[in-house]
Amino acid sequence: MTLTDADLIGLADRLASVPGVVGVVLGGSRARRTHTPESDTDLGLYYRPPLDTGRLGELAEAVGGAGAKVTVPGDWGPWVDGGGWLRVRGSAVDWIYRDLDRVHRCWTDAEKGRYTFHTQAGHPLGVPDFAYPGELALGRILSDPTGELTTLQRRTRTFPRPLADALVAGLWEADFLVGIARKAVSRGDSAYVAGCLFRLAGVCAHALHGAAGQWLINEKGAVAAAGALPGAPDRFQARVDAAFGAVNSDPMHLSLAIDIAADLVLETSDACAMMLR
């Protein structure tokens, strides 16, 4: 059975009663209303330490059945943090911890144009720290007893211009990647070139979203989303695909892939400059 919005609000209220939980936010495709019956439901549990994972585990078993488990904070890595993968009335429901004080710090940095991509398993580009306020900006608040999440969300829904400027300035890395990828052509090092192209595509996608004043919070669908932005380089996604399609051990093909990417970097820079005017 698909969980209704009323079901999710009721669950969120129960979660918010757990000591340490400040509020609950619906994320992912369900928050964007693009979900299907097969989609997971992502619930962000915004907390302040100490989080009572004992009580949280009891609630997980109550709604997810015997054997439902939750982690302690940090068990899923420094940026995914922790949570639980549950089945609730036949639906996949993910509880994902978010340290609210860290969200505030990341938002403060974003307002000042400071950001870093952090190594995290499952995120080949890395987790951008501005993803924390971005998640809140794009989510739907289900339970917020103190009103703190609502207040912060209202602020994060205006994309900070300093962050936009910093992401566009970060295109220097994409240009640098073009240069170092070319050094691998004579060796036929397709894996190295592919790695450079992946990073390059991610840097360009984030720059385009920043210039457009829109949050991009992970790698999944990033190229397609960037290509759909008004003012993005023509056929952005198709040309990224063409660059990857040319990657093999043949130096001529590797050079072609890098040439396609180099043109995209130049056009991305021009497109971002136009968006920011």
Side-chain angles (χ1 to χ4, degrees), residues 151-275:
T151 299
L152 182 57
Q153 184 185 67
R154 190 177 301 118
R155 295 171 59 199
T156 61
R157 283 185 166 169
T158 299
F159 196 92
R161 176 60 186 257
L163 179 59
D165 291 338
L167 288 167
V168 173
L171 284 170
W172 72 266
E173 183 184 356
D175 189 56
F176 179 74
L177 287 164
V178 168
I180 60 173
R182 292 198 189 280
K183 295 180 180 181
V185 168
S186 62
R187 301 192 302 271
D189 193 344
S190 59
Y192 184 80
V193 172
C196 290
L197 292 180
F198 173 77
R199 179 76 185 182
L200 179 153
V203 169
C204 287
H206 276 286
L208 288 165
H209 276 82
Q214 296 191 26
W215 293 105
L216 178 62
I217 57 176
N218 62 42
E219 306 97 333
K220 291 185 289 186
V223 169
L229 293 170
D234 185 48
R235 300 176 57 252
F236 182 81
Q237 181 181 3
R239 292 160 70 189
V240 171
D241 290 342
F244 280 103
V247 174
N248 58 36
S249 59
D250 184 333
M252 290 186 63
H253 290 168
L254 292 179
S255 291
L256 172 61
I258 297 167
D259 287 344
I260 293 170
D263 287 343
L264 276 177
V265 173
L266 290 173
E267 292 182 34
T268 296
S269 181
D270 290 342
C272 290
M274 290 293 293
M275 290 180 188

